Amino acid sequence: VAKLCVCDLLVAQCDVNCCCDPDCSAADFSLFTTCSVPLVTGDSRLCSQKAATYSLDVEANPPERIFKLIDQINPSVFCIHATNYKQALSFGSPEMPTAENFDQLLERFGGATFSAEPDSWNMDTDAQNPSDANETYRYEYGVPIQTADAFLRLPSPVVSSWCSDVNPAGFLVNRATKCTRSVSVGQCGNTQALSMLSYINSSILAKRHEFVFQVNITVQSIVVQSLNGMRTLPNGSDVPRLPMILDELCINVVLGVSYHITYTDAGEIIEAAASFVLGAINEEALSIQQSFEISFTQVNTNPVPLSGNPGYVVGLPVRAGFRPQGYPFPLQAGFAALNANKYGQLTILQSTSHQDCLAAQGARTPVLFGYNMASGCKLRITAAMKCQPLTQTLLDLLKGQNFPEYVASFGNSQAQDVLDWVPITHLYTSDQSDNDRIHNALQSSCQIPVSLEIEVKWTKYGSLVNPQARIVNVTATITTTALKQLRSGRERTIPVMSSVVFTDISSPAEPGYKAWPTINVKLPFDFFFPFV
């Protein structure tokens, strides 16, 4: 380390404030103001090593450099005791091609892949241990998924928001990305990134480096999105659609791709499917936003997304579901899975930019644990609207098509553990006084729901050192209001609201309780290296 100097940049010249520069003299050191590199060490993972320290004695006349060589001890539990493999301490010098060795180098490095290991390491490993060969070809976590031509790509933003198509998808790495791509209506048919075929025309290798077994990417579904954002499921939703120009619009442009990979416990990919969202762009559009997602499922398993382990984590969805029919008889039905909604979540009305309740039907957003939320829209009522259909429409708008009956008390509650699920209590109230309700009853006015208020009560469960969030009660309150009969040609606009409130009802610690003493110790930053 006494000969190492990372700040020595000038050849045969003294670098300013570089106290380890051998080209600097005592006169140069007297002009320095500080040492830019005060400590020089080798590999920081060594348990014990020499370290060179540099400093300036400004009290001396003239100021002079102080150099010390000390023994540095690594405080980490995991450290390297000795570096006994000398070849790994430096990069090997490449063999320069000559007329004599050119053919030999070409044979060794001219292929698509090659090994930099010495020939003396090459052994018949397949004959000694056949299982090692299987380990070579199996996919492992984070390894790029290989295709017949390169890798399965998952476009994502790199430096800016623009899409980069060189990002490979990693095995078992669930990811969701959004990026911006420049478009032109005149060139939409020739832009590969806008066509479905560019995302499904390459086969995935079932095993790494093995081209014998390949898995084709099938089209699972196609959703078409209009210019105003409305999505529909067309007939023949598994037939690829290519971009084409129609009435100054480029249709069938890829706006979103969602891959779903099925694999075995042996690290082999057996199925790959893709779902697409196609849209249209007009001549004014200079760029579009594309979304990409990939998820993995092990074969013969039914994965359930968790929101904590065991307690809820703030920001994750509140899990919800339904009790199977026939519970508690027969017995098997009682311990069957609670049939959750599409995402197994509690949802509320999602606000939209146009604030039109009828246009917002079906748009839901999940309730996130610990987040108080409020959303709403406006409903324009005319004299032609009937009371009963309007009431049902508003109920569907507020509660959704399948409002759950239960929520999970913990973030990892299993469906078969029925006692871990909390029933949702439903309440109905009116925003009118008693006199107004009596008057409206005599007038036979229509009562329509206008708001849904969900209160989630939770408590801290378990140890005070590491408390876990547990839901103990959920109440859904529907508030109604009277709708008087409108005259012909008249209209009325009413607000419709949804809200969620989380209330902590944890009881304080018992009087006289003494917490465990704390120890003010700061561990080194690499204390757990190489473990995370």
Side-chain angles (χ1 to χ4, degrees), residues 238-450:
D238 56 349
V239 180
R241 297 166 175 246
L242 301 180
M244 57 182 298
I245 299 177
L246 180 64
D247 297 334
E248 299 182 352
L249 295 176
C250 183
I251 62 175
N252 299 331
V253 173
V254 174
L255 300 180
V257 183
S258 178
Y259 291 108
H260 187 77
I261 308 297
T262 304
Y263 66 97
T264 65
D265 55 357
E268 179 181 354
I269 296 177
I270 60 174
E271 187 177 345
S275 301
F276 291 88
V277 176
L278 305 182
I281 57 175
N282 51 29
E283 294 182 344
E284 289 77 14
L286 300 178
S287 63
I288 60 173
Q289 186 182 63
Q290 291 180 313
S291 61
F292 301 92
E293 184 178 359
I294 186 170
S295 59
F296 298 84
T297 301
Q298 186 173 334
V299 66
N300 298 329
T301 60
N302 186 19
V304 178
L306 303 181
S307 297
N309 187 25
Y312 274 99
V313 176
V314 175
L316 294 184
V318 174
R319 302 175 61 222
F322 305 90
R323 175 174 292 184
Q325 295 181 358
Y327 177 82
F329 303 105
L331 184 61
Q332 291 181 346
F335 293 92
L338 282 139
N339 301 319
N341 55 17
K342 182 179 180 182
Y343 299 103
Q345 301 168 354
L346 182 65
T347 62
I348 63 171
L349 171 68
Q350 181 178 356
S351 297
T352 57
S353 57
H354 41 69
Q355 293 292 306
D356 186 0
C357 287
L358 297 181
Q361 280 185 299
R364 311 288 295 177
T365 185
V367 175
L368 305 180
F369 182 83
Y371 285 10
N372 295 336
M373 307 169 63
S375 61
C377 59
K378 295 181 180 180
L379 179 64
R380 185 169 57 89
I381 301 176
T382 62
M385 291 184 175
K386 303 298 182 181
C387 178
Q388 189 63 28
L390 179 60
T391 301
Q392 188 61 45
T393 300
L394 287 174
L395 279 177
D396 294 340
L397 180 68
L398 291 171
K399 302 177 66 175
Q401 295 294 331
N402 293 308
F403 193 78
E405 301 172 351
Y406 294 82
V407 297
S409 57
F410 291 103
N412 68 344
S413 295
Q414 300 299 314
Q416 61 268 22
D417 300 331
V418 181
L419 296 180
D420 266 359
W421 294 77
V422 179
I424 299 177
T425 303
H426 295 270
L427 300 177
Y428 294 88
T429 183
S430 176
D431 61 354
Q432 298 173 311
S433 63
D434 294 340
N435 293 332
D436 291 338
R437 284 198 295 268
I438 295 175
H439 176 74
N440 292 327
L442 296 176
Q443 297 294 328
S444 298
S445 62
C446 177
Q447 295 287 330
I448 59 174
V450 291

Side-chain angles (χ1 to χ4, degrees), residues 48 112 132 181 212 228 288-289 327 367 407 421 484 490:
S48 177
D132 293 341
R181 193 179 300 275
V212 178
N228 59 5
I288 60 173
Q289 186 182 63
Y327 177 82
V367 175
V407 297
W421 294 77
K484 297 180 181 179
R490 294 291 184 90

Side-chain angles (χ1 to χ4, degrees), residues 22 110 168 225 358 402 452 454:
Q225 178 175 305
L358 297 181
N402 293 308
L452 170 64
I454 300 177

